[in-house]
Structures are given as structure tokens and as C-alpha cells.
Amino acid sequence: MSELPFLSLREVNARHADELKAAAARVIDSGWYVLGEEVAAFEREFAAYCGVRHAIGVGNGLDALTLILRGYLGLGVLAEGDEVIVPGNTFIASFLAISENRLVPVPVEPDPADFNLDPARVAQAIGPRTRAIMAVHLYGQLADMRALATLAERHRLLLIEDAAQAHGASSRGRCAGAWGHAAGFSFFPGKNLGALGDAGMVVTDDEALARRIAALRNYGSAEKYHHLFQGINSRLDEMQAALLRVKLKYLDEDLAWRRRIARRYREGIRHPWIRLPEVREEEQHAWHLFVLRCPRRDALQQHLLAHGIHCQVHYPVPPHRQPAYAGGLAPDLPLTEQLHREVLSLPIGPILRDEDADRVIAACQSFECPA
């Protein structure tokens, strides 16, 4: 029985090997490797893709979120000790960016239908120290940004998008990154738009924030050897920018294929113990991950592995239950913890064939749930 990997990055990148090698050669031959024309060009192109005015390339997705919050601290919009509402069921980076800035993460339960922030629960969590909402577009589907934007405006809160999994996702014709005051993207190799190493981006329409982050990422400097702020070194490098420029051209095509595979899964899997993801806008979901729920998740994963199908769990332990936050966060989040016990991610991506998807469907359908 042949193995079906969760995702083969070698095959993903092999489709564009000649263009990627030409882009790499262009950078090597240029003699300019940090904050050059490739970064500037990719920033312009990605800003245009998202429909925003500014894009600032940084080292990774965590730095993108961290620098957004740090930028607003420096601008006086936030102060240490302020609270940021964040979904409890997210990757720990969302929490780390908040904590790193000496802000307080306030995790809330998600909407069980789409795994994203529940605006009603967000409204209940807003308190006197709340200054921001961080919406995580989990698995590639936008949170209910219209409702969250209404809440943010009513309470004069920042609305920040963690769009690390949502490249190309949209809602009502507006792309991820263009809904909030600022958004952070990750270009980790496994993302829908993935680099061949670590890379990230901040996008925003806020010119003052954009200028500040552009300096903060570069030792706090907007002019060489002149430092306005106590910054860090988090610069998207020329090589990754050049490679990402190649792959950006194919993002919409890849998204269309992901949607095709997701539709095939949703039409074909009809198992009483398997709960499929719910979708508000079918053609707006980026499908970075196809995540189902099963109360016998571990047994299902072993069953699929016995059929040569490799799956992953995103994520087994929620951030508030990680040792990193031991004693610091102790909310009652039963739904979040249930989700983390039940979620399983099936293979999906631009190289998955129809027959591969059919194989996954057949294996899911043959699962006999243990007592």
C-alpha cells in the first residue's frame, strides 16, 4: 500500500522549480541580500493582493503579530497591562505575541460551527482593560469580521487579524488582511503561500503604524546608523521575497484546487461519527487545513494510518493548558478543550489528486468506531 503524506513540500515546490531557481539566481547575482528591491517588490505585490496600502516584510508570522502590538504600544494606542481578546483554540503564537508585549491575553470560546471567534462571547468578554480583539482566521476561513468590526468600533478597540493561515481567503469580496487595523501573515513553508524558510508580513492601511514597524524590524532604524526606537532584527530577506514573488502568481490557482478537494471531502464523507467543517462562504475559504471532528479522533487517525493516509492534529493542547502559561491563565474553556481532543486534519493541498481524495473518503467511510 502506497503512503499518502499529509503534505509533500518537495512536490509543492517542484511544480515551479525552474522559476524558483531563476529567482534565486537573480538574487545571488544582484549582490544585495537584505532589504533590497525583491523585498520592496513583494511588499507592493502582496499589499495589492490583499487590497491594503502597506505591507512590511518581517522574519516570520510571530514577529508580524508581535510587531503590530509593539507598534501600537509605541504609538500610545496600547499600554502594558491592556487586555487583548483572543480565541482559546489557536496556535500558541497568537498568545505569545500578546504576552511578549506585556499585554494580557483573554481567551474566549469559539463558534463550534466554524472554529472561529464567536462575536457574542467576545462581547461578553469585553471589560474595562480591553483594548484589542485578535481575530484568528483558523484553518483558512475568515472569522465573522463584520460583527467583530462592529464590536471594535462600538467599544473603540483595535481589531487585529492573525491571518497566518488565511492567504487568499475573503469575505464579502474583502480579503484577509483588509478587515482589521492591521494583520500578520506567516509564510512558513507549509502555508498556502509558503517560503522556503521562515518569513512573515504585516499589512495595514495605517501609515503611522507601517512606518514604525518598518523601523522596528530593522533595529529601530529608518536611516542607517540612526535609531529612532529600540528595535529588533526581523527582516524578510531578499531570497525568500524573490521566491515568494514566484509563488504568489499561482496562489489563486492553488486555492481553487484546495476548494475542489474540500468540496469533494464534504460531499463524499458521510460517517455518523465524523463531523465535517461548516462553511459560511464556500468559495471564500482558503482551506489551509481541512479539519474534521470525531469523538474517537485517535482511533480514526490510527485507522487512516493503517490505510497509508497520514493526518495531523492542529492542535493537541490549547495554549492556556500549555506549561508556558501554567498558573497564568486558568479560564473555563470546555468547548475549546473538547475541540482539541476531537480535531483531525486530512491531507489537502495543490498536489493532492482526485483519486487521493477518493482514497481518503473511502478510508473515512470504512471507519468502525470503537465502543
Side-chain angles (χ1 to χ4, degrees), residues 4 24 26 39 43 48 119 125 131 147 163 174 194 198 260 315 358:
L4 180 59
R26 186 173 69 241
V39 169
E43 288 174 335
R131 295 293 180 271
R174 187 185 299 184
D198 261 329
R260 174 191 173 97
Y315 303 95
D358 290 342

Side-chain angles (χ1 to χ4, degrees), residues 46-48 50-56 68 72 159 161 174-175 177-183 202-211 213:
F46 194 69
C50 294
V52 297
R53 293 172 58 197
H54 305 286
I56 308 97
I68 289 170
Y72 278 125
L159 180 56
E161 298 174 68
R174 187 185 299 184
C175 285
W179 281 91
H181 294 92
V202 174
V203 301
T204 183
D205 283 327
D206 187 331
E207 186 171 350
L209 179 69
R211 286 199 306 268
I213 291 176

Side-chain angles (χ1 to χ4, degrees), residues 226-239:
H226 294 270
H227 303 271
L228 299 170
F229 319 113
Q230 295 179 22
I232 63 172
N233 178 2
S234 179
R235 302 173 297 204
L236 174 61
D237 71 70
E238 286 288 282
M239 185 66 74

